[in-house]
PDB file of all heavy atoms in Angstrom:
ATOM      1  N   THR A1598      -7.504  14.067  -5.249  1.00 98.00           N
ATOM      2  CA  THR A1598      -8.127  12.825  -4.798  1.00 98.00           C
ATOM      3  C   THR A1598      -7.453  11.669  -5.511  1.00 98.00           C
ATOM      4  O   THR A1598      -7.382  11.647  -6.745  1.00 98.00           O
ATOM      5  CB  THR A1598      -9.633  12.795  -5.115  1.00 98.00           C
ATOM      6  OG1 THR A1598     -10.271  13.915  -4.493  1.00 98.00           O
ATOM      7  CG2 THR A1598     -10.262  11.516  -4.584  1.00 98.00           C
ATOM      8  N   TYR A1599      -6.933  10.724  -4.741  1.00 96.00           N
ATOM      9  CA  TYR A1599      -6.353   9.505  -5.293  1.00 96.00           C
ATOM     10  C   TYR A1599      -7.366   8.377  -5.142  1.00 96.00           C
ATOM     11  O   TYR A1599      -7.990   8.220  -4.080  1.00 96.00           O
ATOM     12  CB  TYR A1599      -5.060   9.135  -4.555  1.00 96.00           C
ATOM     13  CG  TYR A1599      -3.865   9.934  -4.988  1.00 96.00           C
ATOM     14  CD1 TYR A1599      -3.678  11.243  -4.556  1.00 96.00           C
ATOM     15  CD2 TYR A1599      -2.910   9.379  -5.836  1.00 96.00           C
ATOM     16  CE1 TYR A1599      -2.578  11.983  -4.964  1.00 96.00           C
ATOM     17  CE2 TYR A1599      -1.798  10.110  -6.242  1.00 96.00           C
ATOM     18  CZ  TYR A1599      -1.647  11.412  -5.803  1.00 96.00           C
ATOM     19  OH  TYR A1599      -0.556  12.132  -6.206  1.00 96.00           O
ATOM     20  N   TYR A1600      -7.530   7.608  -6.203  1.00 96.00           N
ATOM     21  CA  TYR A1600      -8.438   6.461  -6.197  1.00 96.00           C
ATOM     22  C   TYR A1600      -7.589   5.195  -6.178  1.00 96.00           C
ATOM     23  O   TYR A1600      -6.930   4.858  -7.166  1.00 96.00           O
ATOM     24  CB  TYR A1600      -9.338   6.491  -7.431  1.00 96.00           C
ATOM     25  CG  TYR A1600     -10.101   7.796  -7.569  1.00 96.00           C
ATOM     26  CD1 TYR A1600      -9.596   8.836  -8.358  1.00 96.00           C
ATOM     27  CD2 TYR A1600     -11.310   7.998  -6.908  1.00 96.00           C
ATOM     28  CE1 TYR A1600     -10.287  10.039  -8.481  1.00 96.00           C
ATOM     29  CE2 TYR A1600     -12.010   9.195  -7.028  1.00 96.00           C
ATOM     30  CZ  TYR A1600     -11.492  10.205  -7.815  1.00 96.00           C
ATOM     31  OH  TYR A1600     -12.169  11.392  -7.931  1.00 96.00           O
ATOM     32  N   VAL A1601      -7.583   4.521  -5.026  1.00 92.00           N
ATOM     33  CA  VAL A1601      -6.681   3.393  -4.810  1.00 92.00           C
ATOM     34  C   VAL A1601      -7.458   2.218  -4.221  1.00 92.00           C
ATOM     35  O   VAL A1601      -8.036   2.334  -3.141  1.00 92.00           O
ATOM     36  CB  VAL A1601      -5.542   3.767  -3.838  1.00 92.00           C
ATOM     37  CG1 VAL A1601      -4.509   2.645  -3.756  1.00 92.00           C
ATOM     38  CG2 VAL A1601      -4.894   5.076  -4.209  1.00 92.00           C
ATOM     39  N   GLU A1602      -7.510   1.112  -4.920  1.00 88.00           N
ATOM     40  CA  GLU A1602      -8.110  -0.116  -4.407  1.00 88.00           C
ATOM     41  C   GLU A1602      -9.502   0.133  -3.817  1.00 88.00           C
ATOM     42  O   GLU A1602      -9.833  -0.333  -2.725  1.00 88.00           O
ATOM     43  CB  GLU A1602      -7.194  -0.753  -3.360  1.00 88.00           C
ATOM     44  CG  GLU A1602      -5.839  -1.175  -3.929  1.00 88.00           C
ATOM     45  CD  GLU A1602      -4.915  -1.748  -2.872  1.00 88.00           C
ATOM     46  OE1 GLU A1602      -5.232  -1.633  -1.661  1.00 88.00           O
ATOM     47  OE2 GLU A1602      -3.876  -2.302  -3.251  1.00 88.00           O
ATOM     48  N   GLY A1603     -10.320   0.882  -4.537  1.00 87.00           N
ATOM     49  CA  GLY A1603     -11.678   1.166  -4.091  1.00 87.00           C
ATOM     50  C   GLY A1603     -11.802   2.288  -3.086  1.00 87.00           C
ATOM     51  O   GLY A1603     -12.909   2.647  -2.685  1.00 87.00           O
ATOM     52  N   MET A1604     -10.681   2.866  -2.671  1.00 91.00           N
ATOM     53  CA  MET A1604     -10.702   3.963  -1.707  1.00 91.00           C
ATOM     54  C   MET A1604     -10.536   5.303  -2.423  1.00 91.00           C
ATOM     55  O   MET A1604     -10.043   5.369  -3.548  1.00 91.00           O
ATOM     56  CB  MET A1604      -9.553   3.819  -0.701  1.00 91.00           C
ATOM     57  CG  MET A1604      -9.588   2.590   0.154  1.00 91.00           C
ATOM     58  SD  MET A1604      -8.168   2.591   1.276  1.00 91.00           S
ATOM     59  CE  MET A1604      -6.806   2.591   0.110  1.00 91.00           C
ATOM     60  N   GLN A1605     -10.905   6.358  -1.712  1.00 95.00           N
ATOM     61  CA  GLN A1605     -10.624   7.710  -2.157  1.00 95.00           C
ATOM     62  C   GLN A1605      -9.800   8.386  -1.072  1.00 95.00           C
ATOM     63  O   GLN A1605     -10.241   8.499   0.078  1.00 95.00           O
ATOM     64  CB  GLN A1605     -11.916   8.497  -2.408  1.00 95.00           C
ATOM     65  CG  GLN A1605     -12.745   7.958  -3.555  1.00 95.00           C
ATOM     66  CD  GLN A1605     -13.953   8.822  -3.851  1.00 95.00           C
ATOM     67  OE1 GLN A1605     -14.047   9.978  -3.423  1.00 95.00           O
ATOM     68  NE2 GLN A1605     -14.892   8.276  -4.601  1.00 95.00           N
ATOM     69  N   ILE A1606      -8.601   8.819  -1.431  1.00 96.00           N
ATOM     70  CA  ILE A1606      -7.710   9.492  -0.491  1.00 96.00           C
ATOM     71  C   ILE A1606      -7.605  10.948  -0.925  1.00 96.00           C
ATOM     72  O   ILE A1606      -7.105  11.239  -2.015  1.00 96.00           O
ATOM     73  CB  ILE A1606      -6.316   8.836  -0.465  1.00 96.00           C
ATOM     74  CG1 ILE A1606      -6.436   7.344  -0.138  1.00 96.00           C
ATOM     75  CG2 ILE A1606      -5.419   9.531   0.551  1.00 96.00           C
ATOM     76  CD1 ILE A1606      -5.126   6.591  -0.252  1.00 96.00           C
ATOM     77  N   ARG A1607      -8.089  11.844  -0.084  1.00 97.00           N
ATOM     78  CA  ARG A1607      -8.143  13.256  -0.447  1.00 97.00           C
ATOM     79  C   ARG A1607      -7.059  14.046   0.277  1.00 97.00           C
ATOM     80  O   ARG A1607      -6.602  13.671   1.355  1.00 97.00           O
ATOM     81  CB  ARG A1607      -9.515  13.844  -0.127  1.00 97.00           C
ATOM     82  CG  ARG A1607     -10.648  13.258  -0.969  1.00 97.00           C
ATOM     83  CD  ARG A1607     -11.966  13.953  -0.661  1.00 97.00           C
ATOM     84  NE  ARG A1607     -13.007  13.531  -1.579  1.00 97.00           N
ATOM     85  CZ  ARG A1607     -13.769  12.468  -1.425  1.00 97.00           C
ATOM     86  NH1 ARG A1607     -13.589  11.681  -0.348  1.00 97.00           N
ATOM     87  NH2 ARG A1607     -14.697  12.155  -2.305  1.00 97.00           N
ATOM     88  N   GLY A1608      -6.686  15.145  -0.344  1.00 98.00           N
ATOM     89  CA  GLY A1608      -5.694  16.015   0.265  1.00 98.00           C
ATOM     90  C   GLY A1608      -5.663  17.361  -0.419  1.00 98.00           C
ATOM     91  O   GLY A1608      -6.394  17.626  -1.378  1.00 98.00           O
ATOM     92  N   ASN A1609      -4.802  18.231   0.098  1.00 98.00           N
ATOM     93  CA  ASN A1609      -4.659  19.561  -0.485  1.00 98.00           C
ATOM     94  C   ASN A1609      -3.293  20.113  -0.140  1.00 98.00           C
ATOM     95  O   ASN A1609      -2.595  19.598   0.746  1.00 98.00           O
ATOM     96  CB  ASN A1609      -5.766  20.505   0.021  1.00 98.00           C
ATOM     97  CG  ASN A1609      -5.747  20.647   1.534  1.00 98.00           C
ATOM     98  OD1 ASN A1609      -4.912  21.356   2.096  1.00 98.00           O
ATOM     99  ND2 ASN A1609      -6.660  19.958   2.212  1.00 98.00           N
ATOM    100  N   ALA A1610      -2.909  21.138  -0.864  1.00 97.00           N
ATOM    101  CA  ALA A1610      -1.627  21.807  -0.617  1.00 97.00           C
ATOM    102  C   ALA A1610      -1.787  23.287  -0.919  1.00 97.00           C
ATOM    103  O   ALA A1610      -2.639  23.680  -1.718  1.00 97.00           O
ATOM    104  CB  ALA A1610      -0.525  21.202  -1.485  1.00 97.00           C
ATOM    105  N   ARG A1611      -0.971  24.099  -0.271  1.00 96.00           N
ATOM    106  CA  ARG A1611      -0.988  25.543  -0.541  1.00 96.00           C
ATOM    107  C   ARG A1611       0.383  26.123  -0.232  1.00 96.00           C
ATOM    108  O   ARG A1611       1.107  25.635   0.658  1.00 96.00           O
ATOM    109  CB  ARG A1611      -2.046  26.261   0.284  1.00 96.00           C
ATOM    110  CG  ARG A1611      -1.804  26.253   1.780  1.00 96.00           C
ATOM    111  CD  ARG A1611      -2.851  27.035   2.544  1.00 96.00           C
ATOM    112  NE  ARG A1611      -2.571  27.042   3.976  1.00 96.00           N
ATOM    113  CZ  ARG A1611      -1.781  27.939   4.575  1.00 96.00           C
ATOM    114  NH1 ARG A1611      -1.185  28.884   3.836  1.00 96.00           N
ATOM    115  NH2 ARG A1611      -1.555  27.884   5.866  1.00 96.00           N
ATOM    116  N   VAL A1612       0.734  27.138  -0.966  1.00 94.00           N
ATOM    117  CA  VAL A1612       1.996  27.832  -0.710  1.00 94.00           C
ATOM    118  C   VAL A1612       1.838  28.695   0.538  1.00 94.00           C
ATOM    119  O   VAL A1612       0.883  29.466   0.654  1.00 94.00           O
ATOM    120  CB  VAL A1612       2.396  28.701  -1.916  1.00 94.00           C
ATOM    121  CG1 VAL A1612       3.566  29.611  -1.561  1.00 94.00           C
ATOM    122  CG2 VAL A1612       2.771  27.814  -3.099  1.00 94.00           C
ATOM    123  N   ILE A1613       2.767  28.549   1.474  1.00 94.00           N
ATOM    124  CA  ILE A1613       2.761  29.358   2.696  1.00 94.00           C
ATOM    125  C   ILE A1613       3.415  30.706   2.441  1.00 94.00           C
ATOM    126  O   ILE A1613       2.883  31.761   2.778  1.00 94.00           O
ATOM    127  CB  ILE A1613       3.505  28.638   3.835  1.00 94.00           C
ATOM    128  CG1 ILE A1613       2.884  27.273   4.111  1.00 94.00           C
ATOM    129  CG2 ILE A1613       3.536  29.501   5.084  1.00 94.00           C
ATOM    130  CD1 ILE A1613       3.719  26.421   5.060  1.00 94.00           C
ATOM    131  N   ASP A1614       4.606  30.658   1.834  1.00 93.00           N
ATOM    132  CA  ASP A1614       5.326  31.900   1.539  1.00 93.00           C
ATOM    133  C   ASP A1614       6.461  31.613   0.575  1.00 93.00           C
ATOM    134  O   ASP A1614       6.800  30.463   0.303  1.00 93.00           O
ATOM    135  CB  ASP A1614       5.871  32.561   2.817  1.00 93.00           C
ATOM    136  CG  ASP A1614       6.835  31.677   3.604  1.00 93.00           C
ATOM    137  OD1 ASP A1614       7.469  30.788   2.995  1.00 93.00           O
ATOM    138  OD2 ASP A1614       6.968  31.858   4.816  1.00 93.00           O
ATOM    139  N   TRP A1615       7.029  32.692   0.031  1.00 91.00           N
ATOM    140  CA  TRP A1615       8.264  32.602  -0.745  1.00 91.00           C
ATOM    141  C   TRP A1615       9.146  33.757  -0.321  1.00 91.00           C
ATOM    142  O   TRP A1615       8.687  34.850   0.000  1.00 91.00           O
ATOM    143  CB  TRP A1615       8.010  32.614  -2.245  1.00 91.00           C
ATOM    144  CG  TRP A1615       7.161  33.747  -2.743  1.00 91.00           C
ATOM    145  CD1 TRP A1615       7.465  35.078  -2.778  1.00 91.00           C
ATOM    146  CD2 TRP A1615       5.837  33.629  -3.278  1.00 91.00           C
ATOM    147  NE1 TRP A1615       6.440  35.799  -3.304  1.00 91.00           N
ATOM    148  CE2 TRP A1615       5.429  34.939  -3.625  1.00 91.00           C
ATOM    149  CE3 TRP A1615       4.988  32.556  -3.518  1.00 91.00           C
ATOM    150  CZ2 TRP A1615       4.178  35.194  -4.181  1.00 91.00           C
ATOM    151  CZ3 TRP A1615       3.757  32.828  -4.071  1.00 91.00           C
ATOM    152  CH2 TRP A1615       3.367  34.125  -4.401  1.00 91.00           C
ATOM    153  N   THR A1616      10.442  33.496  -0.276  1.00 91.00           N
ATOM    154  CA  THR A1616      11.401  34.485   0.213  1.00 91.00           C
ATOM    155  C   THR A1616      12.674  34.380  -0.598  1.00 91.00           C
ATOM    156  O   THR A1616      13.132  33.277  -0.895  1.00 91.00           O
ATOM    157  CB  THR A1616      11.745  34.228   1.697  1.00 91.00           C
ATOM    158  OG1 THR A1616      10.554  34.108   2.460  1.00 91.00           O
ATOM    159  CG2 THR A1616      12.599  35.370   2.253  1.00 91.00           C
ATOM    160  N   GLU A1617      13.262  35.512  -0.955  1.00 92.00           N
ATOM    161  CA  GLU A1617      14.569  35.503  -1.589  1.00 92.00           C
ATOM    162  C   GLU A1617      15.621  35.732  -0.514  1.00 92.00           C
ATOM    163  O   GLU A1617      15.617  36.762   0.170  1.00 92.00           O
ATOM    164  CB  GLU A1617      14.665  36.575  -2.669  1.00 92.00           C
ATOM    165  CG  GLU A1617      15.993  36.523  -3.422  1.00 92.00           C
ATOM    166  CD  GLU A1617      16.051  37.474  -4.611  1.00 92.00           C
ATOM    167  OE1 GLU A1617      15.014  38.098  -4.917  1.00 92.00           O
ATOM    168  OE2 GLU A1617      17.137  37.577  -5.212  1.00 92.00           O
ATOM    169  N   LEU A1618      16.497  34.776  -0.329  1.00 90.00           N
ATOM    170  CA  LEU A1618      17.540  34.864   0.678  1.00 90.00           C
ATOM    171  C   LEU A1618      18.638  33.871   0.347  1.00 90.00           C
ATOM    172  O   LEU A1618      18.467  33.006  -0.512  1.00 90.00           O
ATOM    173  CB  LEU A1618      16.994  34.600   2.080  1.00 90.00           C
ATOM    174  CG  LEU A1618      16.588  33.165   2.478  1.00 90.00           C
ATOM    175  CD1 LEU A1618      16.341  33.116   3.983  1.00 90.00           C
ATOM    176  CD2 LEU A1618      15.348  32.703   1.757  1.00 90.00           C
ATOM    177  N   GLU A1619      19.751  34.000   1.013  1.00 93.00           N
ATOM    178  CA  GLU A1619      20.881  33.110   0.748  1.00 93.00           C
ATOM    179  C   GLU A1619      20.600  31.733   1.312  1.00 93.00           C
ATOM    180  O   GLU A1619      20.215  31.577   2.475  1.00 93.00           O
ATOM    181  CB  GLU A1619      22.153  33.674   1.381  1.00 93.00           C
ATOM    182  CG  GLU A1619      23.404  32.859   1.078  1.00 93.00           C
ATOM    183  CD  GLU A1619      24.660  33.493   1.654  1.00 93.00           C
ATOM    184  OE1 GLU A1619      24.562  34.613   2.188  1.00 93.00           O
ATOM    185  OE2 GLU A1619      25.730  32.852   1.568  1.00 93.00           O
TER     186      GLU A1619
END
Side-chain angles (χ1 to χ4, degrees):
T1598 302
Y1599 281 77
Y1600 305 94
V1601 187
E1602 297 177 349
M1604 298 180 299
Q1605 294 185 16
I1606 304 173
R1607 294 184 172 86
N1609 59 77
R1611 66 177 182 87
V1612 170
I1613 302 170
D1614 59 25
W1615 52 68
T1616 309
E1617 184 173 354
L1618 72 169
E1619 184 177 354

